[in-house]
Amino acid sequence: MLALLLAATLAAQVPDSAHLVLVATTDVHGHATAWDYLEHRPFPGGLPRVATVVDSLRRRHPGQVVVLDAGDLLQGSPFASFYARRGVPGLHPIIEAMNLVGYDAATLGNHDFDRGLPALFDALRNAAYPYVSANIRAEPSDTPMFPPYRVVQREGVRVGIAGFTTPGVMVWDRDRLRGKMRVVPIAQAAPGALAGLRRESDFAVVLVHSGLGGGSSYDTTGIGIENAAATLAEASSRPDLVVVGHSHREIRDTVIGGVHFVQPRPYGGQVAVVHVDLARKRGTWQILRVRTELLDTRSVTPSPLLEQRLAGSHDTVQAWMDQPLGLAAAPMRSTAARMQPTPITDFVLETARRRAGAQLASGPAYDLQAGFSDTVRRADVLRLYPFDNTLRAIRISGAQLRSYLEWSARYFRVDPAGRISINDSVPGYDFDLVRGARYQIDLRRPVGDRIQRLSVGGRPVAPGDSFTLALNSHRQTGAGGYAMIRGAPVVYDKGEAIPELLEAEVARGGADPAARPPSEWGIVPEVARVAVRNLFGVAPPPLARSAADTVTFRLVATADLHEELPVVAGGIERAMDSLGAECGCPGVRLDAGGSLQGSPVGEATAGRAAVKLLDAMGYAAAIPGEREFDWPLDTLRRRTGETRFPWIGSNLTDTATGRRPAWLASYRMIDTAGIRIAVLGYVAPETKAVQPAERTAGLRFGVGELALHQALTEVRPARPGLTVLLADAGATCDSIACEGEVVRLAEQLGGSGVDLIIAGRSQRPFQTRVAGIAIVAPGGPGAVAVADLVKTPAGGREIRVRVEPVAAGPARPGSELAGVLRSLNQLGDSMERRVVARLKRPLDRAGPQFALGALLAEARRNAGRADLGLVRNASIRSGLPAGAVTWALLRTVEPAGAALVEVTLTGSQLRDLAERVVGDSAAPSAHLAGAEVRYDPRAPRGRRTRSVELAGERKLKPRESYTLVTDDATAAGAGGLLPGGLAAVRLGVTEVEATAAYLRRLPQPVEPGAAVAFQSTRP
Ligand SMILES: [Zn+2]
Ligand SMILES: [Zn+2]
């Protein structure tokens, strides 16, 4: 009776329906932060954004959420590389991030083994969640290395989670793992594991780090197929849900044999969320409904907790990435690396070939956006070579070399009509180039017979010849389908990481395009070469176009020259001169904004110097960029009146009259040698939001096509042969597409008569075509944009654009420019020597809090008359000696010369800021003026701040607003101190100017106090 009663009570307690929420990521590849260390900007993914999604799901569905990951966690980002190189004695920051998200289970990806087993287990030791794998076995014991699955309970439902990893691991990491572990083919391990999983769970999930299906990238004999996820639907005990990883694709809910498959995109850029409804019938759970969605994390705010906990690592990694390694003798770019030999790929291949002492070297161009210019930083090298591969050399025969090249040349596809495209089954990183051999890729011939005229050292290659070939460890295993070299004897392997060799080569001065002769391969015939060039959007070299084409007009444009104008003016003028001479056609020079403001001399002369330079260089028109409004409007108006050419602002109107302000033109019409060119200008509308109100007072900044309508209507009746828009609007492009403000503008302008847009404010050069409009951006002072108006033999007319790199150099002797530059240099030298103030004693950078830092922070606070001033220690680069302080000395303290901005923070944001400053295990990472922070360095991170008191003994009020002045980089999130996305108002002064102004105001000689903001409670 009692037993019966008890059973009845129990039954009543178990509800008869349940709702589960499974959340999954895969291929996070080291993105423990939401930051792009190459580009210094927020990364549209990463675990902090995943954490926010998970937190909100847990709030909405308490006790129902299960969080899973399908592998490739520990390798594949600069963040991961840093810790892989340095080793982590304690808690690995990537594992820390996973723990903070609160994962329930994960499996391993192939890349998790890249650093060998000891490194892997060191990292996993601190994981707060278990790893499951049903096909990884320890050798020689042949025992399971991980539990095959685990079961968690949610709402009384048993959720079983099993894991599988692609056996490709045994190919790619063979040397590290041989004799220590084995990955069993998935099809072989699945039946047993799935039967157990099914038995113990009401809802069965498999995490499989293996693509859904399709071919393998290696010879599968004795290994097992690479992408086997779909075969799980054929097993006799089928799982309910499979989370797929490895292939970096996106799988929206796909049902095969009753099994749901889902794969979120990599890097934490997407999260799969699976809602499962179940009902309990006669003691067993039945699945009523499985609903899957993929959530984009791009616009999700990163979790402040993760950001705060990882702030120290974040700073360390960014500083490491920014470390200058050497100088590039001239710009080196990868844009054309897959169509012709380029100095930057030759730099990589030759470094490897020489190091290994091999005759030949092979490798791909990983990233066509990679490049060097001026200072080469570690970030530039890691963009060029993003993998931690090591250098090896093998001995191969002539026959193997030929078959290697044939395999690589599959990269190009030619359809029956002769049209050339990229074979999308061959990733760009598998298109290997070989240095040391001369060969042609003949695209008239079928795949497998494309390599022609193959020779080494001037002698045709015979099948029985023997060569040594330097390559990376990944390729040496035959990865990428290069089966012909599997088993080739290894003649060099010292475990040297290739990125580190390249870094050393840069430091030795190797970033010089003239340092090594070009490799000797090419695509034939000429028509194929041109077609390939078009595929990559690379404009032909000036003389290679068809002889019958005539360039009738050539436009050359610059943008964003900023503070480099005096430095690059000579080189740019030479480039413009020679581009004009080479064409022998009429032309025009234009500037798309950002060229007045920025240079120290320019600012000292309030732009008078800059307008003289632009005039001397022969510009025909320019637009004011957003930065030009750093000056009071009066100054800008006066400067624009001093040039020989007009300043154009087609989208600007006077708020009072609705008309164009008198100092700006609506457009400029240029008639030259029978061609009429209309030039319009688009000034960035966000100028209004970014600049202080008084700088744009009385001006309306029109947005989009509508704002240009009036000017276009005025231009049209004159029937210009070419209509150009100078736009202070940028874009960013990857190898596939561009996105950004100028792209949206062009989409609106299709059919409006605009033929060409010169885009300013782009970080990198690009060229593209949107809605029939050619867009080209020089991407800063390192290049000019060239647009040719070409008459084709058929009588057609087309616009061809390209970006031409510019080498720095002096102005032509005797030119007007040379004269202007000479007087500027004299002015600059005397300014740099000018004494700003005198110091009573030296100011050193000793310890985490020092008087110099306090002074710089106070100077910032004063510059904006703000409540607070903030300076990161990382941006203070040297101390000051006692005695005279000159501009030149101040510039060594803050060499970045960053613009100062003001942001508004709530009291609680300010408290968060203080906590982030002291959150690092070491010591405060910044100086603050206008507040005193007491902190306990031994308290756990996130709880170190004891009190924050504002100047005048005011208590901090969480909801009150406070103004803070700092540099633009810090405001944008550099150093991880401030949340991204704050509205920053530019003050129109640089950090050095603010410091100079402040020092000048103090009683001389200056005797700075020792007051610092951050006071430890445990002295
Ligand atoms: Zn991956
Ligand atoms: Zn993988």
Side-chain angles (χ1 to χ4, degrees), residues 27 29 72 109-111 166 172 209 245-248:
D27 297 87
H29 283 288
D72 271 5
N110 51 298
H111 283 296
T166 178
W172 304 312
H209 193 85
H246 184 58
S247 58
H248 292 205

Side-chain angles (χ1 to χ4, degrees), residues 786-876:
V786 182
D788 287 344
L789 200 55
V790 178
K791 212 155 79 194
T792 60
R797 184 201 82 142
E798 58 182 70
I799 297 165
R800 290 190 194 148
V801 295
R802 67 177 196 268
V803 177
E804 193 77 25
V806 172
R812 265 184 301 103
S815 62
E816 180 186 351
L817 181 64
V820 178
L821 281 171
R822 197 168 332 109
S823 57
L824 276 186
N825 279 338
Q826 284 158 3
L827 175 64
D829 284 352
S830 66
M831 275 186 41
E832 289 294 290
R833 284 195 303 268
R834 242 178 12 199
V835 175
V836 173
R838 289 181 188 283
L839 284 181
K840 195 154 189 182
R841 53 188 175 80
L843 287 175
D844 298 326
R845 281 184 309 158
Q849 291 282 286
F850 42 87
L852 175 60
L855 183 140
L856 298 177
E858 193 58 52
R860 291 178 173 204
R861 179 179 175 225
N862 268 263
R865 295 193 187 84
D867 296 317
L868 301 135
L870 173 72
V871 58
R872 280 183 299 137
N873 294 1
S875 57
I876 308 172

Side-chain angles (χ1 to χ4, degrees), residues 29-30 38 73-88 92 94 110-116 119 172-173 176 317 320-321 348 364 366 378-379 381-392 429 471-477 493-503:
H29 283 288
L38 290 174
L73 172 70
L74 293 170
Q75 183 270 8
S77 68
F79 192 90
S81 294
F82 173 77
Y83 289 101
R85 274 203 215 175
R86 212 184 55 161
V88 193
H92 195 301
I94 299 174
N110 51 298
H111 283 296
D112 295 319
F113 296 95
D114 284 353
R115 289 270 157 177
W172 304 312
D173 290 310
R176 275 184 222 282
V317 173
W320 182 71
M321 289 294 283
V348 176
Y366 289 109
R378 180 170 284 109
V381 174
L382 292 188
R383 185 175 193 126
L384 178 67
Y385 206 103
F387 297 99
D388 292 335
N389 296 322
T390 58
L391 175 64
R392 288 178 189 164
Y429 55 77
L471 37 47
N472 70 54
S473 48
H474 180 71
R475 184 68 78 233
Q476 186 264 326
T477 64
D493 180 7
K494 294 186 176 169
E496 297 156 322
I498 294 177
E500 292 174 50
L501 294 175
L502 298 177
E503 288 169 19

Side-chain angles (χ1 to χ4, degrees), residues 263 309 311-312 324 469 472 482 484 486 492 501 573 581 690 721 735 824 846 864 875 898 932 957 970 985 1002:
Q263 182 177 20
R309 293 288 186 89
L469 171 72
N472 70 54
Y482 286 81
M484 76 296 297
R486 273 191 77 192
Y492 184 94
L501 294 175
E573 190 185 40
V690 176
S735 48
L824 276 186
S875 57
E932 191 180 294
K957 300 203 180 106
T970 305
V985 177
L1002 296 175

